[in-house]
Each structure stands twice: as C-alpha cells, then as structure tokens.
Amino acid sequence: MTDSQQYIMTLDEGTSSCRTLIIDKKGEIKGRNQIEIRQQYPQGQSSWVEHDPIEIWNSQLTTMIQALNKSKINSNQIAAIGITNQRETTVLWNRETGLPVYNAIVWQDRRTTDYCQTLIKKGWQEKIHKKTGLLIDAFFSATKIKWILDNIPEAKILAQQGKLAFGTIDSWLIYKMTAGINTNEAIHVIDITNASRTMLFNINTKVWDQELLELFEIPESILPKVIPSSGLIGKTYPGMLFKNDVTSIPICAAIGDQQAGLFGQLCLNPGEIKATYGTGCFIMMNIGKKPMLSKHGLLTTIAFQLENQPPVYAIEGSVFIAGAAIQFLRDSWRMLYRSDESLWYADIIDPKDQQRIYFVPAFVGLGAPYWDSTARGAIFGLERATKREHIVKATLESLAYQTYDIIRVMQEDIKRMVKKNLKIKIKVDGGASNNRYVMQFQSDISNTSLIKPKISETTAMGVAYLAGLAINFWKDLNEIKHLYQIEKEYHPIMAEEQVRVLYKGWQEAIKRTRNWTSAIE
C-alpha cells in the first residue's frame, strides 16, 4: 500500500442488487453505485428463484466503474477490494470457458424441499446439524448443487472431466476478477463463512466433509479452496476496470453478507447481537471460538476469520421474508408506490383503533425457530372496517414479530453459551432500520433496546474493515472501533400487558398458518 492509496472498495452483491462503495480511512463513504438485478422465476412461482451469473458479474463490474467515475477517484488510489455477498446462492461453471452451466440458484429457492424432507425422514438431521451447525433445508447450497448435477447433463459431464467449478457468489466474483481472458490464472476460492453455509463444510474440523459429499453425490474436484475472511486472496487482472488501465488491485477480504454485518456492527465479543433487515431478516450473535449448537432451532455458523487466527463462531436465526413483504405490497398488491410510504400509512392509524391484524408472510415457508418449509402466507383479523393502512401496518409489524421469535430463543441460548448475565442490546441495520415505526415496535415487542449506527451500510463497512486490516490500512481493531458512531437508540415504552396480548395473537396466527397448511395437504 502506498500513500496515494487512500480508499477501500467494497463490492456488496445482494439478493436484489449489486453495489459498490468506496470508503476512506475515516470510515466515510466517498463513492457509490448500485444496479438492481433481475429476479427470475422459471416455474412462474416464487418457490423457484434464479439469477443470471453473467448479469451479476456485468452489473457488479459496472458499479465499480461508475463508483470511481462519479467520485472522480482513480483506480490506482484503491488500496484493496473486499467482497460481501448473498450467501448460499449457488453457481456452477465451466473452468475452461468461465461460463455458467446454469443460472445461479438463489438462497430463497425451495425446489429441493421434498429431497430435504426425504433426508430428514432417513435420520440425517442430527448428524448434519453436528457436522455443519445447520439444519437440513433447501435454503443451503448442497441440495442446489445436487439438483444442477442431477438435472443439467452438461454439468455432470464437466464434473466427470474435472472441468466443473462450484462457488457461492464470492467465489464467482473472485474467479471473474482474476481470470481476464485466461481462465488458467483464475483463482477458485471460497471464504470460510460462505463455506459454512453450504451444508458440506464441517465447522469442527474446518474442512469439506467427505461423508456429506458422498451423501449428496458431489465430487470434491468441483469445490473451491477455503480461505479466511481477511487476507490477500489475489489481484484483479489488468484492464478489468478500464481498457488501458494496467492497475491490478489486491482482493483482500471476502465474507457472507450477514457475517459482514456482524463485523461491521463491531459485535466482536461473545453475546453481542446484530439484526439486519433486508429482503429477509437475519439475527446473529457472536458466541466466541467454540462451535456450540443451539437447542432452539437456530443455526451455528462461522462469523469471521482473521488471517492466521482461529475462526469466530455465531448462532443465527433467519426470517425468510422481511423487506420482501413490503415489496410484495408495492409490486403485487399495488398498495404502495414506494416502500418508504409504509411509515406514513402506519402513522395515520388512530392510536385508539382496536383492530388487530396479523400478516404472516410465509411466502417461502417459515425460517427459525420453526423451520416449516411447507407454511404459506396468511392474514388474520380482517373486518369490514379494515383499510389499506391496517394491512401495511400489520406487514411492518410482521418484521418485528418474526425477529422477536428468534431473539426470544436466542436469549435462552445466551444463558447456556456465554454463561453470564448480559443486558442485551441489539445493533440494527438494513432498510427497515430506517423505519421509525418498525424500530420502536421491535423495541417494544422484544423489551430490548436497539442501537442504530450513524452509517447504516454496516455490511459494506464490515468487509471494508476486513480488507483494510489485511493491508494495515487500519492498524488494528481499536482504531476501527473509534470510527463507530451511534445515530439513534430505541427503548421499550409499551406496557407489558399490551405486549403480552399482542405477541400472544401473533403466536396464534403462526399456529393457525401452520395448521392450515397441514390440513390441505
């Protein structure tokens, strides 16, 4: 790193968009660009979800170029690149051509649900949980890989020839960024946090698990090398950003998006929790350097690994549909022109209005702590007097209810894992953290204080910190801690009895949703 290299570039490849941010040593964002990516539903329904890997790469590359152009920053001023990505989403490609053999199967995709149920009935649940920290579900990469190998003839042929490569989106972007026109020089790796979300990686031994590879009939030859979250990975090929630009930028960090959010929120000690409200909602707690298992349906996963240090672990609960429920009101039901209008609708309801509407947005099943892949969405409590604003308000409240479902059981795990009494505060980020109504309702229903940082881009900041640490851009974690500033705190104000009644209603709505699904099968 030279004195002229004043910035870290972060690539944030999410479920709905590709983004690039350019961050300086003060932790301030000096450039950014974002492009939405198409959601593809090949069966005409939301249970099959795909992305075009080539579109992801082209969009991500475009955002890098545009972020530099708009900020008038030169490529040779970038000290390092860090990558954070939507996890579990699966890409398989031809090593020789660098072209995918099929679309990327997105983490939300449910096409392998029946196969997962078969594995559970055969008794694999406990063994897979102990090995990977995960529960058997279509959410994870292993069954997506198997589906492609079983259904795309080209994939199986290339695998037999040793020409097939698998990766999550971090793997795919690193491969494309290091390949150029010569795929022989491309780097095929996966960050350890993304590896821990495949349902193939043993979080105890920290290697690909041979028994699981045999179970899913996945050849080890297609798997990437597992690397730490922070450290020199490789360099971009010259001319990647601009035709005559010979700059080759070090790639120094890769990490799954939720783990990046945990690091960006500086949840560096056991017992510290963050909640990210995006397309889904992901609640994660640092549990230290031992991979302990939750007893309440939460996942154990690798949180991050610094270079030459052991990995840090976390437990996590996932809400599959959070911000996506607001998008549903906007795009499918046309109740909103813009997502941010939802706060206005929640505010116009008279505080004396006694209607209690519950919206369970289980469009692709229920995540933790229920893990019910067969559940589907439902609305309860409709009356003749129900208006649009009641539905919008109930949708916002569903984010908080689902999140508290996880926080409630996480609090039980804290007592066993951390072994000390903690006054829990939750650090929040993501789109809905900007919604005052959601945050206050979340604080109330959870009886927990929330902390919202001044810079809400915690996912991008997390991977920036990891890339910067790898090259001494920031000398240590203490220097990074001084960059963290709080914008707002929320504290519970709702009466305990009202909280009890409201949450009891939510639990009944969940129960009836699951019972209805079972009844019609």
Side-chain angles (χ1 to χ4, degrees):
M1 185 180 71
T2 66
D3 292 339
S4 64
Q5 292 175 318
Q6 305 165 20
Y7 306 100
I8 300 291
M9 176 181 280
T10 67
L11 313 186
D12 185 354
E13 200 295 305
T15 308
S16 57
S17 69
C18 296
R19 299 192 305 156
T20 293
L21 290 87
I22 301 174
I23 297 162
D24 69 9
K25 285 192 175 184
K26 295 180 180 179
E28 296 178 355
I29 298 170
K30 295 299 182 180
R32 71 173 79 205
N33 192 248
Q34 178 171 346
I35 296 175
E36 287 195 13
I37 54 176
R38 289 178 301 130
Q39 310 299 307
Q40 300 186 35
Y41 307 104
Q43 295 295 309
Q45 55 185 347
S46 60
S47 59
W48 285 42
V49 191
E50 296 178 0
H51 290 160
D52 179 350
I54 298 298
E55 179 189 0
I56 288 176
W57 164 237
N58 288 336
S59 297
Q60 192 68 73
L61 180 60
T62 300
T63 65
M64 296 166 70
I65 295 168
Q66 291 298 331
L68 288 170
N69 286 339
K70 289 180 179 180
S71 60
K72 298 182 180 179
I73 293 171
N74 295 323
S75 59
N76 59 15
Q77 293 178 278
I78 304 299
I81 291 174
I83 300 168
T84 184
N85 58 284
Q86 53 168 313
R87 306 168 303 167
E88 298 95 21
T89 296
T90 298
V91 187
L92 271 69
W93 66 90
N94 185 324
R95 292 180 186 273
E96 291 189 343
T97 65
L99 296 175
V101 298
Y102 188 74
N103 274 343
I105 301 181
V106 178
W107 60 272
Q108 296 168 313
D109 190 281
R110 309 302 301 173
R111 74 185 68 185
T112 60
T113 295
D114 290 345
Y115 174 66
C116 289
Q117 291 301 314
T118 300
L119 291 178
I120 293 170
K121 289 176 182 176
K122 288 183 177 180
W124 280 95
Q125 184 76 283
E126 184 178 358
K127 179 172 280 192
I128 286 179
H129 188 211
K130 287 181 178 179
K131 284 174 176 282
T132 69
L134 309 177
L135 299 174
I136 296 173
D137 195 83
F139 192 60
F140 306 111
S141 307
T143 61
K144 302 180 194 301
I145 301 170
K146 179 174 174 56
W147 187 92
I148 293 175
L149 289 171
D150 288 347
N151 290 275
I152 307 302
E154 180 189 0
K156 182 158 283 189
I157 293 170
L158 289 173
Q160 293 169 348
Q161 296 173 344
K163 298 177 182 179
L164 189 69
F166 152 73
T168 44
I169 298 298
D170 61 318
S171 309
W172 171 245
L173 291 177
I174 292 168
Y175 182 90
K176 299 300 286 185
M177 292 169 72
T178 56
I181 60 173
N182 188 353
T183 58
N184 292 327
E185 296 179 4
I187 295 173
H188 185 208
V189 294
I190 186 172
D191 142 69
I192 194 168
T193 69
N194 282 290
S196 74
R197 308 295 295 188
T198 60
M199 212 159 68
L200 298 171
F201 187 76
N202 191 312
I203 61 172
N204 305 290
T205 62
K206 297 180 280 293
V207 296
W208 299 114
D209 191 279
Q210 293 301 318
E211 185 178 17
L212 297 183
L213 292 178
E214 292 175 9
L215 172 66
F216 293 108
E217 300 178 299
I218 295 172
E220 189 172 8
S221 62
I222 75 171
L223 301 178
K225 177 184 176 182
V226 181
I227 59 171
S229 312
S230 176
L232 178 62
I233 299 169
K235 294 186 176 182
T236 63
Y237 66 87
M240 182 189 79
L241 293 171
F242 303 103
K243 186 175 181 181
N244 297 316
D245 185 359
V246 297
T247 303
S248 190
I249 305 172
I251 305 167
C252 292
I255 188 170
D257 53 7
Q258 301 312 316
Q259 285 92 333
L262 188 78
F263 200 86
Q265 287 278 29
L266 300 183
C267 295
L268 306 177
N269 300 307
E272 295 183 329
I273 301 173
K274 73 89 188 178
T276 297
Y277 299 81
T279 302
C281 185
F282 299 88
I283 301 90
M284 185 175 284
M285 178 180 76
N286 183 324
I287 62 171
K289 297 180 180 178
K290 292 183 179 180
M292 294 176 284
L293 299 179
S294 167
K295 292 186 176 181
H296 298 92
L298 304 182
L299 308 176
T300 301
T301 192
I302 294 176
F304 58 87
Q305 183 181 16
L306 301 180
E307 193 172 19
N308 300 319
Q309 293 188 27
V312 172
Y313 294 85
I315 56 171
E316 177 184 352
S318 304
V319 173
F320 293 158
I321 300 293
I326 309 300
Q327 295 169 353
F328 171 77
L329 296 187
R330 183 193 66 192
D331 300 337
S332 297
W333 278 8
R334 305 290 196 271
M335 284 190 174
L336 304 169
Y337 288 107
R338 302 189 317 272
S339 295
D340 57 9
E341 290 178 343
S342 58
L343 176 60
W344 182 83
Y345 280 109
D347 280 344
I348 65 173
I349 295 178
D350 189 327
K352 297 178 181 179
D353 191 323
Q354 295 300 305
Q355 281 199 62
R356 282 198 286 133
I357 310 296
Y358 292 95
F359 180 15
V360 183
F363 303 147
V364 291
L366 291 168
Y370 308 105
W371 290 107
D372 186 343
S373 61
T374 65
R376 290 297 178 267
I379 297 180
F380 298 92
L382 295 176
E383 302 175 6
R384 283 289 299 271
T386 300
K387 298 178 182 178
R388 176 190 314 201
E389 49 263 37
H390 294 104
I391 303 296
V392 173
K393 179 170 171 281
T395 306
L396 295 178
E397 290 172 351
S398 75
L399 276 64
Y401 284 128
Q402 292 179 97
T403 300
Y404 180 54
D405 284 340
I406 293 168
I407 293 170
R408 180 173 56 83
V409 297
M410 191 172 277
Q411 288 170 328
E412 294 299 315
D413 281 324
I414 287 174
K415 296 174 185 177
R416 181 173 57 88
M417 294 179 175
V418 180
K419 295 182 179 177
K420 60 182 179 181
N421 292 323
L422 295 172
K423 181 64 176 177
I424 297 174
K425 291 185 177 181
I426 300 170
K427 295 181 176 180
V428 297
D429 56 70
S433 70
N434 297 313
N435 187 301
R436 169 178 40 79
Y437 182 81
V438 174
M439 291 297 97
Q440 186 57 59
F441 192 77
Q442 183 73 77
S443 179
D444 288 335
I445 211 71
S446 308
N447 192 30
T448 305
S449 295
L450 309 182
I451 296 173
K452 182 179 184 298
K454 192 171 184 179
I455 296 179
S456 61
E457 300 282 3
T458 55
T459 301
M461 294 306 300
V463 73
Y465 295 154
L466 289 164
L469 288 170
I471 58 168
N472 207 33
F473 189 81
W474 293 289
K475 63 181 181 180
D476 55 30
L477 290 171
N478 286 329
E479 184 177 355
I480 288 172
K481 287 177 183 178
H482 285 97
L483 303 178
Y484 190 90
Q485 298 179 46
I486 296 173
E487 178 181 287
K488 188 171 180 58
E489 292 193 39
Y490 293 88
H491 304 284
I493 57 176
M494 188 181 291
E496 289 184 14
E497 178 60 19
Q498 185 180 1
V499 170
R500 187 191 67 80
V501 170
L502 288 173
Y503 189 62
K504 183 180 179 181
W506 169 257
Q507 290 177 306
E508 183 64 25
I510 289 286
K511 178 182 176 181
R512 295 192 183 197
T513 297
R514 300 179 73 187
N515 287 345
W516 179 83
T517 304
S518 300
I520 64 171
E521 289 183 341

mmCIF file of all heavy atoms in Angstrom, residues 54 93-101 154 158 163 172 175-176 179-181 183:
data_model
loop_
_atom_site.group_PDB
_atom_site.id
_atom_site.type_symbol
_atom_site.label_atom_id
_atom_site.label_comp_id
_atom_site.label_asym_id
_atom_site.label_seq_id
_atom_site.Cartn_x
_atom_site.Cartn_y
_atom_site.Cartn_z
ATOM 1 N N ILE A 54 -23.940 -14.159 -15.223
ATOM 2 C CA ILE A 54 -23.269 -13.199 -16.108
ATOM 3 C C ILE A 54 -23.805 -11.791 -15.839
ATOM 4 O O ILE A 54 -23.044 -10.809 -15.812
ATOM 5 C CB ILE A 54 -23.468 -13.580 -17.589
ATOM 6 C CG1 ILE A 54 -22.846 -14.951 -17.881
ATOM 7 C CG2 ILE A 54 -22.873 -12.511 -18.499
ATOM 8 C CD1 ILE A 54 -21.348 -15.014 -17.669
ATOM 9 N N TRP A 93 -19.901 -23.534 -12.915
ATOM 10 C CA TRP A 93 -19.430 -23.042 -14.210
ATOM 11 C C TRP A 93 -18.327 -23.919 -14.779
ATOM 12 O O TRP A 93 -17.711 -24.727 -14.081
ATOM 13 C CB TRP A 93 -18.964 -21.592 -14.104
ATOM 14 C CG TRP A 93 -17.742 -21.339 -13.257
ATOM 15 C CD1 TRP A 93 -16.442 -21.337 -13.671
ATOM 16 C CD2 TRP A 93 -17.710 -21.037 -11.849
ATOM 17 N NE1 TRP A 93 -15.611 -21.059 -12.630
ATOM 18 C CE2 TRP A 93 -16.351 -20.850 -11.504
ATOM 19 C CE3 TRP A 93 -18.683 -20.886 -10.873
ATOM 20 C CZ2 TRP A 93 -15.946 -20.549 -10.197
ATOM 21 C CZ3 TRP A 93 -18.290 -20.578 -9.578
ATOM 22 C CH2 TRP A 93 -16.943 -20.415 -9.246
ATOM 23 N N ASN A 94 -18.104 -23.740 -16.081
ATOM 24 C CA ASN A 94 -17.080 -24.452 -16.833
ATOM 25 C C ASN A 94 -15.733 -23.775 -16.592
ATOM 26 O O ASN A 94 -15.566 -22.596 -16.885
ATOM 27 C CB ASN A 94 -17.439 -24.429 -18.328
ATOM 28 C CG ASN A 94 -16.495 -25.249 -19.182
ATOM 29 O OD1 ASN A 94 -15.301 -25.312 -18.946
ATOM 30 N ND2 ASN A 94 -17.045 -25.860 -20.228
ATOM 31 N N ARG A 95 -14.772 -24.519 -16.054
ATOM 32 C CA ARG A 95 -13.465 -23.942 -15.741
ATOM 33 C C ARG A 95 -12.738 -23.438 -16.993
ATOM 34 O O ARG A 95 -11.965 -22.483 -16.926
ATOM 35 C CB ARG A 95 -12.570 -24.979 -15.060
ATOM 36 C CG ARG A 95 -13.004 -25.403 -13.667
ATOM 37 C CD ARG A 95 -12.019 -26.437 -13.119
ATOM 38 N NE ARG A 95 -12.454 -26.987 -11.852
ATOM 39 C CZ ARG A 95 -12.186 -26.448 -10.666
ATOM 40 N NH1 ARG A 95 -11.481 -25.319 -10.609
ATOM 41 N NH2 ARG A 95 -12.607 -27.023 -9.561
ATOM 42 N N GLU A 96 -12.970 -24.089 -18.126
ATOM 43 C CA GLU A 96 -12.245 -23.731 -19.348
ATOM 44 C C GLU A 96 -12.798 -22.480 -20.011
ATOM 45 O O GLU A 96 -12.051 -21.641 -20.510
ATOM 46 C CB GLU A 96 -12.253 -24.899 -20.330
ATOM 47 C CG GLU A 96 -11.416 -26.085 -19.858
ATOM 48 C CD GLU A 96 -11.269 -27.139 -20.937
ATOM 49 O OE1 GLU A 96 -12.056 -27.121 -21.912
ATOM 50 O OE2 GLU A 96 -10.359 -27.980 -20.814
ATOM 51 N N THR A 97 -14.126 -22.350 -20.027
ATOM 52 C CA THR A 97 -14.738 -21.197 -20.697
ATOM 53 C C THR A 97 -15.072 -20.066 -19.728
ATOM 54 O O THR A 97 -15.279 -18.926 -20.161
ATOM 55 C CB THR A 97 -16.033 -21.616 -21.408
ATOM 56 O OG1 THR A 97 -16.997 -22.035 -20.421
ATOM 57 C CG2 THR A 97 -15.771 -22.755 -22.385
ATOM 58 N N GLY A 98 -15.170 -20.381 -18.440
ATOM 59 C CA GLY A 98 -15.591 -19.383 -17.463
ATOM 60 C C GLY A 98 -17.066 -19.053 -17.541
ATOM 61 O O GLY A 98 -17.510 -18.045 -16.980
ATOM 62 N N LEU A 99 -17.850 -19.910 -18.210
ATOM 63 C CA LEU A 99 -19.283 -19.658 -18.379
ATOM 64 C C LEU A 99 -20.095 -20.577 -17.477
ATOM 65 O O LEU A 99 -19.774 -21.766 -17.335
ATOM 66 C CB LEU A 99 -19.693 -19.881 -19.834
ATOM 67 C CG LEU A 99 -19.068 -18.931 -20.863
ATOM 68 C CD1 LEU A 99 -19.460 -19.353 -22.274
ATOM 69 C CD2 LEU A 99 -19.490 -17.489 -20.590
ATOM 70 N N PRO A 100 -21.168 -20.062 -16.891
ATOM 71 C CA PRO A 100 -22.018 -20.902 -16.035
ATOM 72 C C PRO A 100 -22.743 -21.958 -16.850
ATOM 73 O O PRO A 100 -23.089 -21.741 -18.020
ATOM 74 C CB PRO A 100 -22.997 -19.902 -15.418
ATOM 75 C CG PRO A 100 -22.988 -18.715 -16.329
ATOM 76 C CD PRO A 100 -21.630 -18.661 -16.939
ATOM 77 N N VAL A 101 -22.991 -23.105 -16.214
ATOM 78 C CA VAL A 101 -23.726 -24.173 -16.896
ATOM 79 C C VAL A 101 -25.224 -24.055 -16.644
ATOM 80 O O VAL A 101 -26.024 -24.731 -17.296
ATOM 81 C CB VAL A 101 -23.239 -25.564 -16.431
ATOM 82 C CG1 VAL A 101 -21.774 -25.755 -16.781
ATOM 83 C CG2 VAL A 101 -23.479 -25.774 -14.942
ATOM 84 N N GLU A 154 -24.883 -31.265 -19.012
ATOM 85 C CA GLU A 154 -23.565 -30.675 -19.220
ATOM 86 C C GLU A 154 -22.774 -30.618 -17.917
ATOM 87 O O GLU A 154 -21.556 -30.834 -17.895
ATOM 88 C CB GLU A 154 -23.701 -29.256 -19.798
ATOM 89 C CG GLU A 154 -22.349 -28.581 -20.048
ATOM 90 C CD GLU A 154 -22.488 -27.113 -20.420
ATOM 91 O OE1 GLU A 154 -23.628 -26.606 -20.484
ATOM 92 O OE2 GLU A 154 -21.443 -26.467 -20.627
ATOM 93 N N LEU A 158 -19.100 -32.315 -17.348
ATOM 94 C CA LEU A 158 -17.939 -31.488 -16.992
ATOM 95 C C LEU A 158 -17.345 -31.925 -15.656
ATOM 96 O O LEU A 158 -16.123 -31.900 -15.467
ATOM 97 C CB LEU A 158 -18.352 -30.020 -16.929
ATOM 98 C CG LEU A 158 -18.655 -29.337 -18.261
ATOM 99 C CD1 LEU A 158 -19.221 -27.942 -18.028
ATOM 100 C CD2 LEU A 158 -17.396 -29.247 -19.122
ATOM 101 N N LYS A 163 -13.744 -30.491 -15.147
ATOM 102 C CA LYS A 163 -13.802 -29.142 -15.699
ATOM 103 C C LYS A 163 -14.888 -28.273 -15.071
ATOM 104 O O LYS A 163 -15.133 -27.158 -15.519
ATOM 105 C CB LYS A 163 -14.039 -29.204 -17.211
ATOM 106 C CG LYS A 163 -12.934 -29.903 -17.989
ATOM 107 C CD LYS A 163 -13.274 -29.980 -19.469
ATOM 108 C CE LYS A 163 -12.205 -30.727 -20.253
ATOM 109 N NZ LYS A 163 -12.562 -30.828 -21.695
ATOM 110 N N TRP A 172 -17.567 -16.787 -7.336
ATOM 111 C CA TRP A 172 -17.816 -16.416 -8.728
ATOM 112 C C TRP A 172 -17.178 -15.068 -9.058
ATOM 113 O O TRP A 172 -16.501 -14.915 -10.086
ATOM 114 C CB TRP A 172 -19.319 -16.401 -8.975
ATOM 115 C CG TRP A 172 -19.779 -15.849 -10.291
ATOM 116 C CD1 TRP A 172 -20.533 -14.729 -10.501
ATOM 117 C CD2 TRP A 172 -19.530 -16.394 -11.595
ATOM 118 N NE1 TRP A 172 -20.778 -14.550 -11.831
ATOM 119 C CE2 TRP A 172 -20.177 -15.548 -12.538
ATOM 120 C CE3 TRP A 172 -18.832 -17.504 -12.058
ATOM 121 C CZ2 TRP A 172 -20.128 -15.788 -13.907
ATOM 122 C CZ3 TRP A 172 -18.789 -17.745 -13.436
ATOM 123 C CH2 TRP A 172 -19.421 -16.899 -14.341
ATOM 124 N N TYR A 175 -13.356 -15.303 -9.069
ATOM 125 C CA TYR A 175 -12.939 -16.011 -10.274
ATOM 126 C C TYR A 175 -12.933 -15.067 -11.475
ATOM 127 O O TYR A 175 -11.954 -15.004 -12.235
ATOM 128 C CB TYR A 175 -13.882 -17.184 -10.523
ATOM 129 C CG TYR A 175 -13.529 -18.033 -11.722
ATOM 130 C CD1 TYR A 175 -12.684 -19.120 -11.600
ATOM 131 C CD2 TYR A 175 -14.054 -17.745 -12.986
ATOM 132 C CE1 TYR A 175 -12.358 -19.909 -12.703
ATOM 133 C CE2 TYR A 175 -13.740 -18.513 -14.090
ATOM 134 C CZ TYR A 175 -12.891 -19.597 -13.942
ATOM 135 O OH TYR A 175 -12.563 -20.354 -15.041
ATOM 136 N N LYS A 176 -14.024 -14.323 -11.644
ATOM 137 C CA LYS A 176 -14.120 -13.418 -12.794
ATOM 138 C C LYS A 176 -13.124 -12.263 -12.687
ATOM 139 O O LYS A 176 -12.570 -11.808 -13.697
ATOM 140 C CB LYS A 176 -15.544 -12.876 -12.913
ATOM 141 C CG LYS A 176 -16.615 -13.938 -13.139
ATOM 142 C CD LYS A 176 -16.380 -14.737 -14.410
ATOM 143 C CE LYS A 176 -16.708 -13.963 -15.668
ATOM 144 N NZ LYS A 176 -16.594 -14.806 -16.886
ATOM 145 N N ALA A 179 -9.561 -13.724 -13.607
ATOM 146 C CA ALA A 179 -9.388 -14.539 -14.805
ATOM 147 C C ALA A 179 -8.941 -13.730 -16.014
ATOM 148 O O ALA A 179 -8.006 -14.099 -16.711
ATOM 149 C CB ALA A 179 -10.689 -15.276 -15.128
ATOM 150 N N GLY A 180 -9.611 -12.623 -16.292
ATOM 151 C CA GLY A 180 -9.350 -11.910 -17.533
ATOM 152 C C GLY A 180 -9.687 -12.801 -18.710
ATOM 153 O O GLY A 180 -10.703 -13.493 -18.726
ATOM 154 N N ILE A 181 -8.805 -12.862 -19.696
ATOM 155 C CA ILE A 181 -9.042 -13.719 -20.862
ATOM 156 C C ILE A 181 -8.413 -15.091 -20.675
ATOM 157 O O ILE A 181 -8.574 -15.975 -21.509
ATOM 158 C CB ILE A 181 -8.496 -13.069 -22.152
ATOM 159 C CG1 ILE A 181 -6.986 -12.827 -22.045
ATOM 160 C CG2 ILE A 181 -9.227 -11.785 -22.453
ATOM 161 C CD1 ILE A 181 -6.357 -12.358 -23.337
ATOM 162 N N THR A 183 -8.493 -18.161 -18.277
ATOM 163 C CA THR A 183 -9.129 -18.804 -17.130
ATOM 164 C C THR A 183 -8.143 -19.653 -16.328
ATOM 165 O O THR A 183 -8.420 -20.012 -15.185
ATOM 166 C CB THR A 183 -10.305 -19.695 -17.574
ATOM 167 O OG1 THR A 183 -9.840 -20.676 -18.502
ATOM 168 C CG2 THR A 183 -11.391 -18.848 -18.226
#
